[in-house]
């Protein structure tokens, strides 16, 4: 059945960012609509942190973020701190624990975070429409029109919270980049970060016998960055916290140095 409506804010993307934004705008008494093409919301949250969601870090500081605009993190993090998120979990009776190095995980499941965001958006009167294909986004004189497979919605403000392109099977797409280009915004070329490293066949042949072996700690360095964390040899290359961290600094052709300590 065709649907339509006028809202103060339309948010495209019902992930972590879109749902937090929706709840906050709703609490400020804005009429909010969230649109998503996936059948389930918050799917990336559900798989995050190995299913337990590493929801914040006690050591969160602006200088720990990689950005072309370091000042953005300063203002964002001063307005919403890790303690603010911990307090939100407390209000929803969600148990958590510190794993290591200030990393906080859910005791039970990442689904707790998804349910919490769902409750927050419902309490704030947010309307959510899933399985909604976005056809076009147009500028109006006083706002935006979003044409979807289910109908046309209009709003004064439009938030694009469609995330990055990793893991398309949970709904990820390059939609945000397309919209940015449509509206003439410069797009910084995206590159993978916080990812495992894969080896080519010749390298893999050398380390294959080590697949499954974990070393904790290793000291790993690349392009001026150094981390001391655990490393895991996998059947495709290297993984573990040390590798995820250093992957954000590695670029093709760069040397990566790892010192392995005996456990
Ligand atoms: C395996 C894995 C583990 C992770 N673990 C952690 C962790 O423990 N802690 C942590 O902080 N971060 C973790 N991350 C990163 C974290 O999950 C993401 O940074 C976060 O989910 C991004 O939120 P987002 O709202 O920006 O985007 P997303 O969660 O990707 O949400 C985007 C939403 O937009 C929708 N969408 C996309 N394209 C369209 C379109 N064309 N039309 C309509 N809707 C669209 C999607 O369906 C989705 O619901 C992990 C990521 C992965 C892949």
């Amino acid at each position: 059945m065709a649907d339509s409506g006028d809202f103060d804010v339309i948010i495209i993307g019902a992930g972590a960012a879109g749902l937090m934004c929706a709840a906050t705008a709703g609490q400020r008494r804005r009429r909010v609509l969230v649109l998503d093409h996936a059948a389930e919301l918050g799917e990336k949250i559900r798989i995050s942190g190995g299913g337990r969601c590493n929801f914040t870090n006690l050591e969160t500081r602006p200088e720990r973020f990689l950005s072309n605009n370091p000042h953005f993190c300063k203002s964002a993090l001063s307005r919403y701190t890790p303690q603010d998120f911990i307090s939100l979990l407390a209000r929803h009776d969600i148990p958590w624990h510190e794993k290591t190095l200030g990393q906080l995980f859910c005791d039970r499941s990442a689904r707790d975070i998804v349910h919490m965001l769902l409750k927050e958006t419902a309490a704030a009167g947010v309307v959510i429409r899933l399985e909604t294909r976005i056809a076009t986004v147009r500028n109006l004189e006083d706002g935006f029109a979003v044409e979807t497979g289910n109908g046309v919605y209009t709003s004064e403000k439009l938030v694009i919270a469609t995330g990055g392109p990793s893991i398309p099977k949970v709904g990820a797409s390059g939609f945000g980049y397309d919209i940015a280009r449509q509206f003439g915004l410069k797009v910084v070329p995206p590159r993978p970060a916080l990812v495992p490293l894969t080896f080519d066949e010749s390298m893999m042949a050398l380390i294959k016998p080590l697949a499954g072996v974990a070393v904790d700690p290793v000291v790993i360095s690349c392009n001026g960055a150094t981390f001391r964390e655990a490393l895991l040899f996998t059947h495709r290359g290297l993984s573990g916290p040390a590798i995820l961290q250093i992957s954000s600094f590695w670029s093709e052709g760069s040397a990566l140095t790892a010192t392995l300590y005996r456990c």
Side-chain angles (χ1 to χ4, degrees):
M1 200 171 67
D3 192 19
S4 64
D6 183 53
F7 294 82
D8 295 321
V9 189
I10 294 177
I11 298 168
I12 304 181
L19 294 173
M20 277 299 279
C21 178
T24 309
Q27 285 154 11
R28 292 179 185 171
R29 306 213 173 280
R30 302 295 191 275
R31 293 169 304 130
V32 183
L33 171 69
V34 179
L35 300 172
D36 201 299
H37 63 175
E40 302 280 343
L41 48 74
E43 279 289 88
K44 222 179 247 181
I45 303 174
R46 195 181 48 75
I47 61 168
S48 68
R52 293 255 168 108
C53 187
N54 175 198
F55 58 82
T56 193
N57 192 301
L58 297 174
E59 306 297 328
T60 302
R61 288 198 292 274
E63 60 272 22
R64 297 202 158 175
F65 286 77
L66 300 176
S67 169
N68 286 358
N69 175 9
H71 298 298
F72 170 76
C73 278
K74 287 183 197 163
S75 76
L77 293 175
S78 66
R79 291 166 70 181
Y80 197 88
T81 65
Q83 193 51 54
D84 290 324
F85 201 74
I86 293 168
S87 305
L88 181 59
L89 263 67
R91 291 201 291 280
H92 288 264
D93 291 324
I94 297 177
W96 53 268
H97 60 278
E98 180 179 348
K99 197 170 174 187
T100 177
L101 299 170
Q103 300 160 5
L104 306 190
F105 285 78
C106 294
D107 284 354
R108 293 184 301 230
S109 157
R111 286 180 198 276
D112 278 353
I113 303 289
V114 179
H115 292 152
M116 177 188 81
L117 292 173
L118 204 48
K119 281 195 220 159
E120 287 285 307
T121 49
V126 172
V127 177
I128 300 178
R129 295 270 183 273
L130 299 177
E131 295 184 291
T132 301
R133 185 183 54 82
I134 313 296
T136 60
V137 173
R138 281 184 292 118
N139 247 145
L140 303 175
E141 208 165 281
D142 53 355
F144 298 90
V146 180
E147 198 180 326
T148 76
N150 303 341
V152 181
Y153 305 95
T154 53
S155 64
E156 189 193 332
K157 307 265 192 251
L158 176 68
V159 177
I160 305 297
T162 45
S166 64
I167 327 240
K169 70 176 179 218
V170 297
S173 77
F175 182 83
Y177 305 114
D178 296 340
I179 291 290
R181 288 186 197 102
Q182 179 190 328
F183 284 90
L185 301 172
K186 200 174 134 200
V187 176
V188 177
R191 44 187 299 260
L194 291 171
V195 286
L197 297 177
T198 53
F199 286 153
D200 61 19
E201 269 176 35
S202 58
M203 218 19 210
M204 208 51 234
L206 285 174
I207 69 151
K208 210 171 188 173
L210 293 173
V213 172
V215 187
D216 188 7
V218 302
V219 172
I220 195 148
S221 307
C222 186
N223 286 329
T226 298
F227 296 95
R228 183 189 174 90
E229 289 208 49
L231 174 148
L232 176 68
F233 290 92
T234 71
H235 61 285
R236 298 186 64 199
L238 297 173
S239 191
I243 294 298
L244 299 189
Q245 292 277 25
I246 208 72
S247 70
S248 304
F249 295 86
W250 181 82
S251 52
E252 273 194 29
S254 310
L256 198 146
T257 314
T259 308
L260 280 60
Y261 291 85
R262 200 187 299 202
C263 307

